[in-house]
Amino acid sequence: MKKLFAILLTLALVLSMGTMALAASDGVITIDNAIVGVTYEIYKMFDFTPVSENSSQGRYSVVAEWENFLKSDEAKKYLSVNDETGTIEWVGSEEETRKAEFAKLAVSYAVTNHIDATKSEKATSSTVEFGSLDLGYYAINTTLGTVCILTNTNSSIKVVEKNTVPEIEKYVQEDSEESNTDGGWGKVNDAAIGETVNFKSEITVGKGSQGFVMHDTMATGLNFGSTVSVTDKNGTVASENYTLKTTGTCGCTFEIVFEDSYIATLSQEDVITVTYSAVLTDEAEIATGIANSVYLAYGENSSLQTQPKTTKTYTWKMDVFKWTKEGQTEKALAGATFELRTSKTDENSKIKFTKVENAEVPTYKVDSSGSASITTDASGAFEIVGLDSGTYYLYETAAPDGYNKLSEPKTVEISATYDDTAISADYMINGAAPATIKVENKTGSLLPETGGIGTTIFYVVGGLMMLAAVVLLVSKKRMSSFA
Ligand SMILES: [Zn+2]
């Protein structure tokens, strides 16, 4: 007996969950550092009858439901029960891992054989207390999954939860920053419609975890690439260790169900990295972060969840106005044709678009299968949407009749700033708040030929000046004649 208590006391110090002995009346098991939301269950495996009141000496007897388990070869590797003497003794090495193995074995037996927990409680704070317990030897289980062994000879037992919950983090890659030391991975990025965006979710395994299911939800505007790559410290994780479901059971975009046997091979600090991609579609809202959220379900029956983690993907727009000066007013010009290129030297860098039907302002969405040229209507205005940040060259390829086309393209720089903390981004056009890019046309000849108000003033002023000159000349003549 003494030997067993010594062993079990050691176990109490090193292990978090498990089996324990109560050797006085009104046993209490308190679990400290409990994880809110986790259910803690205790199973009485042995009854303890003290030789006299408050004695730590006494007799253990197996609880009927556990008889078969304790007689099994599996259990005998760890625990030897002597019914005649009413004693139990630990068998073999006292390594922590062996004690954990035994407890795990006991709890999985309870689950398979539908042994009801003696008591069960869901933690609502960091302390869970099981009171008014019979004296005995208890196994403790949690919905987190792992069980270990623990005991004490006092009637009040304190158990410290040493399991840690798994964590998940999520990142999106900004392709223009791929060469940075962090590979451009952050919480925010921007992209053009049609572009592939890379995502990464990192699961830190935690201690005592099971039932891992990663749920990923992409908002409208992101089209999941339908494949994932899973890696851990050993490299690529073999596909038999997880199942990808592209129809999420919770309304998510996809789920990855990990095999418990695989998770069991990992340790607390290990990280599982899941990378995947999505294409930014023409449904992407402009200058509005498009969310990709992930959470991890874990624990028994995957009943617990991490907080969701989100990244946002942005896409930008550019407004253009084609005009000419007419007196004091800006007159919109129809019939000017434009192209937008990403390179001044490469004619093939033209961006292609499709025109959005029934838009208030003529709107052109980036679309690699569309057309590269945009021609202004009577409003002179158009909007190009779905652009990545970067430098663009707006070429006028044809001017309206009677006007000169621009000899040089207009340079338009869309620059974005990302805030990983606020998970937000903002953009500027040519270093200022987004404003309309105004493209002015002038007529082709030096002397105005059209009858705008500008030329009328020119004629009137010119006429008045000539008149004044004539008057002056005449009066001078007159004056001299009088002299
Ligand atoms: Zn789901």
Side-chain angles (χ1 to χ4, degrees):
M1 281 302 295
K2 263 203 175 147
K3 191 187 172 199
L4 179 68
F5 285 145
I7 293 166
L8 295 178
L9 196 60
T10 315
L11 299 177
L13 297 171
V14 293
L15 300 169
S16 58
M17 294 287 104
T19 53
M20 62 196 308
L22 288 176
S25 309
D26 300 325
V28 178
I29 299 173
T30 307
I31 295 163
D32 273 352
N33 199 30
I35 299 161
V36 171
V38 168
T39 301
Y40 293 84
E41 297 170 324
I42 58 170
Y43 294 89
K44 188 172 68 176
M45 295 175 76
F46 293 91
D47 277 307
F48 181 73
T49 315
V51 286
S52 60
E53 207 178 333
N54 295 325
S55 172
S56 62
Q57 305 293 303
R59 195 182 167 84
Y60 280 102
S61 49
V62 177
V63 171
E65 289 158 314
W66 290 94
E67 263 170 19
N68 288 339
F69 170 70
L70 292 161
K71 280 179 190 160
S72 71
D73 291 341
E74 253 335 268
K76 279 180 176 169
K77 286 181 198 160
Y78 302 93
L79 212 63
S80 147
V81 183
N82 188 327
D83 288 333
E84 275 173 37
T85 57
T87 57
I88 46 181
E89 244 181 296
W90 187 256
V91 178
S93 150
E94 290 170 28
E95 281 168 53
E96 216 183 299
T97 51
R98 289 198 73 235
K99 294 154 196 167
E101 278 165 19
F102 172 69
K104 214 168 196 174
L105 205 61
V107 169
S108 75
Y109 178 85
V111 172
T112 337
N113 292 279
H114 308 289
I115 298 177
D116 289 334
T118 310
K119 281 194 174 179
S120 151
E121 204 167 320
K122 194 174 188 172
T124 54
S125 73
S126 60
T127 306
V128 172
E129 193 178 275
F130 294 101
S132 308
L133 297 174
D134 292 339
L135 303 184
Y137 188 85
Y138 288 83
I140 305 175
N141 185 31
T142 77
T143 46
L144 268 180
T146 301
V147 283
C148 303
I149 301 170
L150 173 134
T151 191
N152 198 306
T153 54
N154 297 328
S155 60
S156 284
I157 310 284
K158 209 160 238 196
V159 183
V160 179
E161 165 70 279
K162 284 182 184 165
N163 287 320
T164 55
V165 293
E167 282 167 16
I168 196 160
E169 218 13 287
K170 171 162 200 81
Y171 304 96
V172 64
Q173 190 174 35
E174 170 50 42
D175 59 350
S176 66
E177 294 173 359
E178 232 177 291
S179 56
N180 290 7
T181 44
D182 66 359
W185 292 105
K187 305 297 280 181
V188 192
N189 79 322
D190 61 14
I193 288 174
E195 203 177 315
T196 297
V197 179
N198 295 323
F199 296 98
K200 180 167 83 173
S201 292
E202 288 180 349
I203 300 165
T204 305
V205 173
K207 193 178 178 192
S209 297
Q210 63 175 20
F212 280 14
V213 184
M214 186 186 110
H215 298 256
D216 193 279
T217 307
M218 291 178 179
T220 303
L222 287 172
N223 200 358
F224 175 50
S226 76
T227 58
V228 295
S229 148
V230 183
T231 57
D232 64 17
K233 60 180 176 184
N234 300 316
T236 302
V237 174
S239 60
E240 57 263 31
N241 291 315
Y242 61 89
T243 309
L244 170 66
K245 293 180 177 174
T246 48
T247 321
T249 55
C250 70
C252 59
T253 307
F254 72 91
E255 293 176 359
I256 300 174
V257 182
F258 291 93
E259 294 296 324
D260 280 346
S261 55
Y262 161 65
I263 300 299
T265 66
L266 302 173
S267 51
Q268 190 169 353
E269 307 295 331
D270 284 346
V271 173
I272 305 168
T273 303
V274 184
T275 47
Y276 42 104
S277 68
V279 171
L280 193 69
T281 72
D282 65 353
E283 287 183 293
E285 249 191 276
I286 308 304
T288 307
I290 298 155
N292 180 201
S293 289
V294 74
Y295 72 89
L296 183 77
Y298 61 96
E300 210 170 275
N301 303 319
S302 308
S303 58
L304 301 163
Q305 290 179 8
T306 63
Q307 288 292 314
K309 294 293 171 71
T310 301
T311 59
K312 281 187 176 168
T313 299
Y314 286 77
T315 190
W316 311 117
K317 68 167 186 169
M318 175 191 300
D319 286 289
V320 181
F321 180 56
K322 181 68 192 170
W323 66 291
T324 191
K325 204 175 274 172
E326 198 173 84
Q328 297 307 305
T329 60
E330 294 177 352
K331 186 194 169 202
L333 284 180
T337 301
F338 291 95
E339 276 178 10
L340 193 66
R341 297 183 199 164
T342 55
S343 162
K344 229 173 163 178
T345 49
D346 182 8
E347 232 190 289
N348 295 321
S349 69
K350 291 172 196 173
I351 297 174
K352 292 176 177 174
F353 311 97
T354 48
K355 197 175 177 193
V356 177
E357 297 292 322
N358 304 320
E360 211 175 301
V361 176
T363 303
Y364 295 83
K365 271 189 179 179
V366 174
D367 177 1
S368 60
S369 60
S371 148
S373 71
I374 293 173
T375 301
T376 57
D377 66 6
S379 74
F382 63 91
E383 197 170 81
I384 293 174
V385 300
L387 292 167
D388 194 358
S389 53
T391 304
Y392 296 94
Y393 302 94
L394 186 65
Y395 285 81
E396 188 177 29
T397 55
D401 286 346
Y403 292 86
N404 286 337
K405 71 174 185 183
L406 299 186
S407 55
E408 281 291 306
K410 263 196 178 289
T411 304
V412 183
E413 198 191 334
I414 302 181
S415 54
T417 46
Y418 313 119
D419 183 341
D420 277 355
T421 312
I423 315 185
S424 67
D426 209 355
Y427 76 118
M428 293 201 290
I429 289 187
N430 292 341
T436 302
I437 308 292
K438 292 168 80 175
V439 185
E440 186 184 5
N441 269 121
K442 293 181 177 167
T443 47
S445 55
L446 276 170
L447 287 175
E449 289 169 342
T450 51
I453 188 155
T455 49
T456 309
I457 287 169
F458 181 86
Y459 287 135
V460 170
V461 172
L464 283 172
M465 281 171 72
M466 280 175 71
L467 192 61
V470 169
V471 169
L472 197 66
L473 198 67
V474 170
S475 48
K476 258 193 169 178
K477 269 192 173 173
R478 277 188 186 170
M479 278 167 80
S480 63
S481 65
F482 282 117

